[in-house]
Amino acid sequence: MIDVKKSLSDAEERMKKAVHFLEEELARVRAGRANVAILDGVRVMSYGQPVPLNQVASVNCPDPRTIAIKPWDKKQIGAIEKAIMDSDVGITPENNGETIRLGIPQPTEERRRELTKQCAKYAEKAKVEVRNVRSDVKDKLKKAVKDGLSEDLEKDAEGDLQKIHDKVIKQIDAVLETKNKEIMTV
C-alpha cells in the first residue's frame, strides 16, 4: 500500500526540480545583458585540474554590457582566456594584463528570435519532465488500486496531482515569458 500524500509531495518536489533546471538553463542564455551565469560552464585548467572559473577568479558585471574577470593568480590569465575561448560562450575575451573583460554585444532582431526559440525548447523539456512525473505517479496509483487502495482515494489523488501539474506548468510558462521579455527588450 502506498502513502498517497508522500507520493504527491515527492511528485511536486520532482516537478519543482524541473522548474529549477529550466531557470538555470535560461540563466546561461545570453540575452544582450551581462550576466555572470553564462560563465558557469567554463572550466579552467588550474594546476592540472579543470576547476570552475569562479574558483580561480572573481567575476562581476561593472556595467550592463561588460563582464570583468580578475584572476587571483595573475599567472592564470592565459588559462582563463583559453578556457573562455574553448567554451560555448561565443565571446572573445580582452586582456589588459590584470583583468579580462568580456564585452556583451547587442543581439540582432534575428538573433533575439533564435534565442526565444532556444528558450522555448528548454521550457518544453521541463514540461515533458513534469508530464513524465505525473505519468509515473498515475501508474503508481493505478497499481495501488489493485493492491487495495480505494478508487475514490485514487481519483482524489489524481485530481490533486493534476492541480500540482497545472501549477508547475504555469510556473514554467511564467519563467519562459520573463526570459523572453528580457531577450526581446532592446
Side-chain angles (χ1 to χ4, degrees), residues 119-133:
C119 292
K121 286 180 184 174
Y122 290 141
E124 191 55 39
K125 275 185 186 176
K127 286 180 181 180
V128 166
E129 179 57 29
V130 169
R131 290 181 196 121
N132 287 343
V133 170

Side-chain angles (χ1 to χ4, degrees), residues 147-164:
D147 294 340
L149 183 70
S150 75
E151 287 188 21
D152 289 343
L153 203 56
E154 185 238 357
K155 289 292 177 200
D156 291 345
E158 276 191 24
D160 292 344
L161 179 65
Q162 187 62 42
K163 287 176 187 170
I164 293 168

